[in-house]
């Protein structure tokens, strides 16, 4: 089992930045790819970004490419999502996930955090 806990969410004005962190415990986190997803009210959970187990490759949704950066520190068992130039459309609950591959499909992930709210005001 891998336990994931997100932090860093909050309220920010459009154009601002937030940094989300995902702390992992339990089984060796470095064995897993990491992902971030988000879910706005009344909408499905959408892919945001993913990273391979070693941090060598990263993947992004088109809507966040160039604004968000995913990274990881396996020594600290953390995955981070740096979010810049935030827009009101980025408002959602953000979830951290761990799985075998850095997939865009949420079904490919085995472990999930509880989520952290990000609200971007216009």
């Amino acid at each position: 089992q891998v336990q994931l806990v997100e932090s860093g969410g909050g309220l920010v004005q459009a154009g601002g930045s937030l940094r989300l962190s995902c702390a992992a415990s339990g089984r060796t986190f470095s064995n897993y790819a990491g992902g971030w997803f988000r879910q706005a009210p009344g909408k499905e959970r959408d892919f945001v970004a993913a990273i391979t187990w070693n941090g060598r490759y990263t993947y992004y949704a088109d809507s966040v490419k160039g604004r968000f950066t995913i990274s990881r520190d396996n020594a600290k068992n953390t995955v981070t999502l740096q979010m810049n130039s935030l827009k009101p459309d980025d408002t959602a609950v953000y979830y951290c996930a761990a799985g075998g591959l850095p997939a865009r499909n949420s079904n490919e992930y085995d472990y999930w955090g509880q989520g952290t709210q990000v609200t971007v005001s216009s």
Side-chain angles (χ1 to χ4, degrees):
Q1 291 286 336
V2 175
Q3 292 79 41
L4 303 173
V5 178
E6 302 96 334
S7 62
L11 173 64
V12 64
Q13 288 187 334
S17 298
L18 281 175
R19 186 178 181 88
L20 304 184
S21 291
C22 176
S25 60
R27 299 183 68 178
T28 306
F29 183 59
S30 59
N31 290 341
Y32 296 90
W36 285 96
F37 289 75
R38 65 187 182 186
Q39 188 167 18
K43 296 187 177 181
E44 295 185 350
R45 189 170 296 188
D46 291 332
F47 169 77
V48 175
I51 189 166
T52 52
W53 67 272
N54 57 4
R56 183 170 297 175
Y57 300 102
T58 57
Y59 307 89
Y60 297 94
D62 288 344
S63 60
V64 307
K65 199 172 294 184
R67 300 188 297 122
F68 291 11
T69 302
I70 188 171
S71 61
R72 70 188 297 160
D73 185 339
N74 285 339
K76 296 182 179 179
N77 287 338
T78 58
V79 174
T80 300
L81 185 68
Q82 176 67 43
M83 305 186 296
N84 298 328
S85 302
L86 283 161
K87 306 174 182 179
D89 285 349
D90 294 319
T91 296
V93 177
Y94 282 70
Y95 296 90
C96 175
L101 294 172
R104 295 174 181 265
N105 188 335
S106 61
N107 292 331
E108 298 294 327
Y109 291 84
D110 301 309
Y111 305 103
W112 292 86
Q114 82 290 349
T116 185
Q117 176 70 47
V118 171
T119 303
V120 184
S121 63
S122 57

